[in-house]
Amino acid sequence: MQISVTSYDGQDAGSIELADEIFGLEPRQDLIFRMIRWQLAKRRAGTHAVKNRADIARTGKKLHKQKGTGGARHGSRRAPQFIGGGRAFGPVVRSHEHDLPKKVRVLALKHALSAKAKDGAIIVWENASLLEPKTKLLKAGFDKTGLSSALIIDGAEPQANFALAARNLPRIDVLPVQGVNVYDILRREKLVLTRAAIDALEARLK
């Protein structure tokens, strides 16, 4: 797949060939869905909890006699049906993580990249660098190209000036290539890859 290469402000910088085994697959929604579900489950804290009847500081004395009062048979004021009693079947502290094979995770990433390529939502830059960390300068370049919602993937380490300028822009994310993931790719309209990012992705996924 041939795609043109530009600078962040839209100036032409040649072209590059993208590997079809990474960017040319027919996207499978089931794989992408499984990966996003795995990512979102993995980042849940799981710290939600309530007090059950064993956690309530209240007397455990039997309310009244078992028989002869006309009342229902109760044994403790800590039971869930009483005001101030423990919660029945409430949430407990736990991990929401579940397993997903590594091969499935790798394949899902390929299909997410292919989905962006199929939609024409991939932009390739020569590099992502600025002479000074000025958000105004970066935004002017984005306005020229109409870029308003994008995930920008650079090489092993994004340039400091570019990262500082971009972090003040809403709906613009900058990640190193080792941080690329399916959820962040799909939550933004455009996927911007530098030449260094493409080289690293192809070396990792081929």
Side-chain angles (χ1 to χ4, degrees):
M1 179 189 299
Q2 194 82 10
I3 189 169
S4 60
V5 180
T6 63
S7 63
Y8 77 92
D9 55 357
Q11 297 180 19
D12 185 60
S15 63
I16 192 171
E17 186 74 26
L18 299 182
D20 286 338
E21 58 264 40
I22 299 174
F23 296 93
L25 303 175
E26 185 63 32
R28 280 182 53 185
Q29 292 185 0
D30 60 317
L31 284 176
I32 294 172
F33 169 76
R34 285 180 66 188
M35 185 62 185
I36 290 177
R37 182 172 173 268
W38 179 81
Q39 278 189 247
L40 296 183
K42 190 176 176 67
R43 75 181 193 178
R44 289 181 68 178
T47 52
H48 45 15
V50 295
K51 289 184 177 181
N52 59 34
R53 63 186 295 169
D55 300 319
I56 299 296
R58 203 176 216 186
T59 179
K61 183 179 181 296
K62 189 170 174 63
L63 275 68
H64 47 68
K65 293 194 303 177
Q66 179 77 354
K67 293 178 178 293
T69 65
R73 297 171 290 183
H74 292 300
S76 172
R77 278 284 183 188
R78 290 178 289 190
Q81 61 264 41
F82 293 115
I83 294 175
R87 170 96 174 265
F89 307 113
V92 295
V93 175
R94 68 184 181 91
S95 170
H96 291 272
E97 290 186 42
H98 57 270
D99 290 334
L100 191 65
K102 186 175 180 179
K103 287 184 178 180
V104 175
R105 302 201 301 265
V106 171
L107 193 58
L109 180 56
K110 290 181 181 180
H111 279 262
L113 293 169
S114 295
K116 283 294 183 184
K118 185 178 181 181
D119 293 340
I122 288 184
I123 299 171
V124 179
W125 287 352
E126 183 66 31
N127 56 58
S129 61
L130 291 175
L131 295 177
E132 50 184 350
K134 296 291 185 182
T135 301
K136 183 178 180 180
L137 180 66
L138 188 60
K139 188 175 186 305
F142 286 175
D143 288 343
K144 284 183 184 178
T145 57
L147 198 66
S148 60
S149 173
L151 171 66
I152 300 167
I153 305 295
D154 203 355
E157 189 68 35
Q159 192 215 25
N161 286 348
F162 190 91
L164 287 171
R167 72 180 183 179
N168 292 323
L169 295 172
R171 298 189 297 164
I172 298 293
D173 301 323
V174 180
L175 289 176
V177 69
Q178 59 268 28
V180 64
N181 64 88
V182 173
Y183 179 70
D184 283 329
I185 287 173
L186 296 181
R187 70 193 288 259
R188 300 299 181 205
E189 291 178 9
K190 300 290 185 180
L191 173 63
V192 180
L193 301 169
T194 63
R195 281 186 185 268
I198 290 174
D199 291 342
L201 279 172
E202 291 185 349
R204 169 179 159 188
L205 298 177
K206 271 188 177 180

